[in-house]
Amino acid sequence: NAGVTQTPKFRILKIGQSMTLQCTQDMNHNYMYWYRQDPGMGLKLIYYSVGAGITDKGEVPNGYNVSRSTTEDFPLRLELAAPSQTSVYFCASSYSPGQGGFRETQYFGPGTRLLVL
Amino acid sequence: AQSVSQHNHHVILSEAASLELGCNYSYGGTVNLFWYVQYPGQHLQLLLKYFSGDPLVKGIKGFEAEFIKSKFSFNLRKPSVQWSDTAEYFCAVMGSGNTGKLIFGQGTTLQVKP
């Protein structure tokens, strides 16, 4: 198992450019998440998905979009990059059978470091 | 709204010193609590978690945490740190609802001097 993989590892964008951060998991997890990590701020949830075709906003969704067409993939789209989106982005996944509450651990990818200039 | 607060932002210890990192959360219902660690250049890994039962939870690499409900705390401890414990540590609480969303604290950077 590769676990959760993310590409690219590092990217520099110009203001106004767009890009897609890729996230793939091979653990057949139904739940997937995108977080951003800013220095001294911990991780903030951007978007999450509870299964293919179902996504919802987290704490800081503005400026981002997601889609979940398959169980494995959960790409994060930046349409008009802004300096405020300079951050490290982490994708995570977990599995819940949907009964008895949520008790599962999230597994994180290695992160994508994004610099917007 | 739920929140997590980690009191120590940057801790410097010598090898063999004891460690305690504070974590307080605000949430009135049943909580699921986690400590994650991020070693330099690596992704987040789970250290330990608490869902129910014994409030003293043991994790990997000799770490443990104690859930004290009356104090809304989940402090992380290790009796004797090693240089390899140098990392950033995050406390997190699982949000309400059946979505598994995590709310993280600000993180604590631990530097262990050899």
Side-chain angles (χ1 to χ4, degrees):
Chain A
N1 276 356
V4 180
T5 56
Q6 293 182 237
T7 56
K9 290 184 179 179
F10 176 68
R11 182 78 182 267
I12 300 175
L13 281 183
K14 294 182 180 179
I15 295 172
Q17 286 186 319
S18 61
M19 78 165 292
T20 299
L21 282 67
Q22 301 292 345
C23 175
T24 300
Q25 53 90 10
D26 63 359
M27 298 174 282
N28 202 31
H29 285 172
N30 47 356
Y31 287 70
M32 295 188 76
Y33 311 85
W34 274 106
Y35 295 89
R36 58 177 287 172
Q37 181 186 19
D38 300 310
M41 300 292 290
L43 282 78
K44 302 287 186 185
L45 182 66
I46 305 171
Y47 270 95
Y48 68 99
S49 169
V50 302
I54 306 170
T55 63
D56 205 350
K57 296 177 181 178
E59 283 182 85
V60 290
N62 292 345
Y64 307 95
N65 276 302
V66 294
S67 59
R68 182 99 182 268
S69 56
T70 67
T71 299
E72 295 79 18
D73 301 305
F74 190 41
L76 178 71
R77 179 83 178 163
L78 282 71
E79 292 294 349
L80 292 170
S84 61
Q85 293 177 305
T86 293
S87 189
V88 181
Y89 292 84
F90 289 99
C91 180
S93 72
S94 61
Y95 175 77
S96 173
Q99 297 173 0
F102 200 106
R103 294 190 148 216
E104 303 305 318
T105 302
Q106 285 187 24
Y107 295 87
F108 284 79
T112 293
R113 187 174 297 273
L114 177 65
L115 180 60
V116 182
L117 299 173
Chain B
Q2 294 169 304
S3 66
V4 177
S5 178
Q6 293 181 237
H7 318 299
N8 320 98
H9 297 297
H10 196 168
V11 174
I12 302 173
L13 294 173
S14 298
E15 274 193 315
S18 63
L19 170 73
E20 181 160 3
L21 301 182
C23 173
N24 284 91
Y25 63 91
S26 66
Y27 182 57
T30 302
V31 287
N32 297 328
L33 295 158
F34 304 78
W35 274 98
Y36 279 86
V37 61
Q38 186 177 25
Y39 297 104
Q42 297 187 27
H43 56 91
L44 275 78
Q45 303 170 41
L46 181 69
L47 264 182
L48 46 80
K49 60 186 177 184
Y50 172 79
F51 287 143
S52 63
D54 188 343
L56 185 61
V57 180
K58 294 193 183 299
I60 60 171
K61 303 186 181 185
F63 286 91
E64 65 179 30
E66 185 175 12
F67 170 57
I68 303 179
K69 188 175 182 179
S70 61
K71 294 184 178 180
F72 297 90
S73 70
F74 190 55
N75 292 354
L76 181 71
R77 300 194 293 246
K78 186 171 184 179
S80 176
V81 295
Q82 301 172 317
W83 176 78
S84 58
D85 293 323
T86 294
E88 191 159 16
Y89 293 80
F90 294 95
C91 181
V93 61
M94 186 168 284
S96 58
N98 199 33
T99 61
K101 293 185 289 184
L102 290 176
I103 298 164
F104 284 86
Q106 306 93 318
T108 297
T109 301
L110 171 65
Q111 183 181 354
V112 180
K113 294 185 174 181

